[in-house]
């Protein structure tokens, strides 16, 4: 028995010693990993600083050469660090080819087969309501739903913060704090764990998660000199355009956070009120405060057509997914539908109350407007399907969920609401 006891004690001692050695090795490995992460972070910071310095040098060199070529570009002036070059154009054309009219038609037809029926949508009721953002500066001004995970919703508030919200659990995921003034637009990246915000503090921010999964500013985009009113993501997911009240729009490479072109025009004096990419990514629509809807060739940064006819400032604009139609709303309560093939207005809806936003569902079957309430229309014939008047104050934004199976909306009453089948 004594021999067995000694053997057990010896084995126990050996195991404890081995455990202590393993713990020491693990602690050393963790220390090395932490040190390596710090070195990598420092190198990335130095790389970004070097890139920024290079961008400044290139921009100054371009400015020194002058803008003699601007007059030959339809009156457009482009300030850039390397321009929308041939490689960027090639990527944009490749994306447009994948998203050709034929491919879009096939996609839209498929979506139309699964989209909610008008009679079902007409029966939608308020499912839930969630007060978000600060009560001292009430008001949710914008929202976006994740294209892939429809439980993820992001809102931007008058309180200068953006909030990530989980529709499934009904809880906040994260609060994004950086901006100094109200948030004007928010957007998810469809495939990367990245989000974008724009603000009246003249900046836009690219956000990414830290080691704990909380979103932090990765890059601040600060080339504008006035309110950044909105942003729109290129279908490739590689480029972002921001528009500003300073009467310019900027084309950003997301990976490098560099402004490839800041586009202004001698004939465009009014600032922008909104901006959106065409589904193929080669055309850009921008609304300006002079009540004009402007169409740009992004590759050439050229203003190729203007739509006039609004009597009020344009507050919302959206392309239908098939790429043929552009809808716009204004603060006089008028919605106009524009045919991009014939370059003319083919339908007008006079709601009579100031509007704040407009959007289509992905199938192009329905369109909604926001203002005093939410009105949903069938695009075929533009008949009114449903009015939601549950918000106590002005509705600032709304979007359809997948297959129009639900609707999310935000308001100056500080609530995020969801409507659907009860």
């Amino acid at each position: 028995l004594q021999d067995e006891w000694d053997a057990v004690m010896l084995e126990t001692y050996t195991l404890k010693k081995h455990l202590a050695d393993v713990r020491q090795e693990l602690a050393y490995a963790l220390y090395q990993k932490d040190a390596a992460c710090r070195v990598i972070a420092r190198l990335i910071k130095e790389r970004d600083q070097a890139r920024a310095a290079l961008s400044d040098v290139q921009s100054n060199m371009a400015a020194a050469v002058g803008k003699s070529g601007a007059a030959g570009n339809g009156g457009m002036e482009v300030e850039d660090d390397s321009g929308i070059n041939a490689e960027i154009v090639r990527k944009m054309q490749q994306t447009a080819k994948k998203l050709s009219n034929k491919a879009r038609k096939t996609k839209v037809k498929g979506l139309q087969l699964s989209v909610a029926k008008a009679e079902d949508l007409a029966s939608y009721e308020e499912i839930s309501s969630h007060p978000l953002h600060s009560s001292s500066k009430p008001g949710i001004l914008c929202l976006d739903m994740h294209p892939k995970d429809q439980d993820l919703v992001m809102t931007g508030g008058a309180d200068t913060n953006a909030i990530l919200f989980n529709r499934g659990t009904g809880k906040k995921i994260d609060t994004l704090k950086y901006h100094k003034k109200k948030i004007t637009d928010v957007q998810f990246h469809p495939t990367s764990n990245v989000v974008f915000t724009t603000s009246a503090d003249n900046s836009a921010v690219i956000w990414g998660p830290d080691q704990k999964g909380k979103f932090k500013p990765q890059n601040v985009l600060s080339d504008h000199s006035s309110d950044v009113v909105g942003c729109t993501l290129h279908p490739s997911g590689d480029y972002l355009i921001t528009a500003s009240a300073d009467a310019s729009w900027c084309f950003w490479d997301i990976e490098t956070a560099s402004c490839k072109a800041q586009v202004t025009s001698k004939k465009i004096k009014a600032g922008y009120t909104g901006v959106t990419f065409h589904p193929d990514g080669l055309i850009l629509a921008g609304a300006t405060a002079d009540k004009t809807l402007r169409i740009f060739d992004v590759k050439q940064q050229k203003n190729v057509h203007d739509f006039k006819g609004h009597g009020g400032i344009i507050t919302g604009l959206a392309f239908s997914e098939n790429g043929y139609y552009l809808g716009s709303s204004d603060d006089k309560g008028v919605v106009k539908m524009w045919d991009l093939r014939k370059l003319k207005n083919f339908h007008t809806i006079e709601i009579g109350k100031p509007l704040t936003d407009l959007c289509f569902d992905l199938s192009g079957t329905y369109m909604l407007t926001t203002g005093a309430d939410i009105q949903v229309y069938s695009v075929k014939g533009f008949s009114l399907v449903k009015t939601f008047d549950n918000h106590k104050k002005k509705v600032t934004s709304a979007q359809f969920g997948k297959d129009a199976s639900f609707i999310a909306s935000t308001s100056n009453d500080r609530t995020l609401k969801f409507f659907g089948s009860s």
Side-chain angles (χ1 to χ4, degrees):
L1 288 175
Q2 183 65 41
D3 292 340
E4 290 179 0
W5 170 260
D6 291 340
V8 169
M9 293 305 295
L10 180 61
E11 184 179 3
T12 302
Y13 170 79
T14 303
L15 289 173
K16 285 184 176 180
K17 184 178 180 182
H18 180 64
L19 177 61
D21 292 339
V22 170
R23 281 178 172 171
Q24 187 174 6
E25 290 175 4
L26 177 60
Y28 183 72
L30 290 172
Y31 175 80
Q32 282 187 317
K33 178 180 179 297
D34 182 66
C37 289
R38 291 175 183 274
V39 170
I40 291 170
R42 178 175 58 80
L43 291 175
I44 289 174
K45 182 178 180 181
E46 291 175 357
R47 180 203 65 184
D48 292 342
Q49 289 174 342
R51 281 177 173 170
L54 178 60
S55 296
D56 291 340
V57 170
Q58 290 173 328
S59 180
N60 292 337
M61 288 175 64
V65 171
K67 301 173 182 176
S68 59
N73 192 21
M76 305 303 293
E77 297 179 356
V78 182
E79 300 176 9
D80 63 272
D81 60 8
S82 59
I84 300 179
N85 55 36
E87 176 61 19
I88 294 174
V89 170
R90 184 186 65 80
K91 288 183 180 179
M92 293 173 64
Q93 289 175 330
Q94 282 183 339
T95 301
K97 188 176 181 180
K98 292 178 183 177
L99 302 172
S100 64
N101 286 339
K102 184 177 180 180
R104 281 202 302 272
K105 285 181 180 178
T106 302
K107 177 183 176 182
V108 169
K109 285 182 179 179
L111 290 169
Q112 288 174 342
L113 293 175
S114 59
V115 74
K117 303 296 183 183
E119 54 268 28
D120 295 331
L121 203 153
S123 68
Y124 284 2
E125 298 177 353
E126 181 180 326
I127 300 172
S128 62
S129 180
H130 310 273
L132 301 176
H133 295 274
S134 171
S135 57
S136 61
K137 289 185 178 180
I140 307 176
L141 306 180
C142 49
L143 89 156
D144 190 34
M145 283 192 287
H146 197 286
K148 302 292 177 63
D149 185 350
Q150 294 276 283
D151 276 344
L152 291 180
V153 180
M154 180 164 52
T155 61
D159 62 357
T160 75
N161 298 328
I163 287 177
L164 290 173
F165 183 85
N166 188 302
R167 180 173 66 97
T169 63
K171 295 181 179 180
K172 293 181 186 179
I173 301 172
D174 199 357
T175 300
L176 283 58
K177 297 182 178 182
Y178 173 82
H179 291 289
K180 302 298 186 292
K181 295 183 179 180
K182 66 181 180 182
I183 305 294
T184 55
D185 200 6
V186 293
Q187 188 161 9
F188 284 102
H189 193 287
T191 57
S192 299
N193 196 16
V194 172
V195 299
F196 310 94
T197 58
T198 64
S199 170
D201 64 6
N202 307 355
S203 73
V205 175
I206 301 174
W207 302 77
D210 61 14
Q211 293 180 349
K212 296 181 180 179
K214 296 295 184 180
F215 279 84
K216 301 295 182 185
Q218 288 187 334
N219 298 99
V220 178
L221 315 179
S222 55
D223 282 31
H224 291 293
S225 59
S226 188
D227 297 17
V228 183
V229 298
C231 63
T232 180
L233 187 65
H234 188 265
S236 68
D238 294 333
Y239 310 110
L240 182 78
I241 282 182
T242 56
S244 171
D246 66 7
S248 77
W249 55 267
C250 286
F251 184 98
W252 302 89
D253 182 304
I254 294 173
E255 183 179 2
T256 62
S258 58
C259 179
K260 296 299 182 182
Q262 183 169 12
V263 181
T264 59
S265 172
K266 292 180 179 178
K267 75 171 187 177
I268 301 176
K269 305 296 184 183
Y272 286 90
T273 60
V275 65
T276 187
F277 263 116
H278 185 271
D280 71 6
L282 297 178
I283 297 172
L284 180 75
T288 47
D290 56 3
K291 308 171 187 177
T292 303
L293 193 54
R294 303 181 185 277
I295 307 298
F296 294 89
D297 180 331
V298 179
K299 302 191 306 296
Q300 301 180 24
Q301 303 98 62
K302 185 176 181 180
N303 183 194
V304 294
H305 188 75
D306 291 340
F307 289 118
K308 296 181 181 291
H310 276 286
I313 293 176
I314 299 169
T315 55
L317 66 163
F319 287 101
S320 62
E321 186 62 26
N322 63 18
Y324 297 147
Y325 306 128
L326 175 64
S328 55
S329 61
D330 67 31
D331 64 357
K332 297 294 184 182
V334 174
V335 174
K336 288 187 175 290
M337 300 299 299
W338 310 90
D339 190 320
L340 297 175
R341 297 165 295 182
K342 299 178 181 179
L343 296 178
K344 68 176 185 179
N345 169 229
F346 70 91
H347 192 78
T348 299
I349 304 173
E350 295 187 1
I351 296 175
K353 300 176 182 178
L355 297 174
T356 57
D357 202 3
L358 169 148
C359 80
F360 295 94
D361 81 292
L362 277 179
S363 72
T365 304
Y366 302 109
M367 176 192 74
L368 66 74
T369 62
T370 60
D373 49 29
I374 305 166
Q375 295 194 0
V376 180
Y377 294 84
S378 171
V379 171
K380 187 177 181 179
F382 292 98
S383 58
L384 182 63
V385 176
K386 178 76 172 183
T387 298
F388 300 96
D389 57 3
N390 304 60
H391 283 288
K392 296 178 181 179
K393 293 184 179 181
K394 180 174 68 176
V395 185
T396 54
S397 187
Q399 287 187 11
F400 291 99
K402 183 182 179 182
D403 296 329
S405 58
F406 68 94
I407 294 171
S409 65
T410 55
S411 166
N412 280 341
D413 65 9
R414 205 169 65 88
T415 62
L416 166 65
K417 292 183 183 291
F418 295 100
F419 301 91
S421 298
S422 56

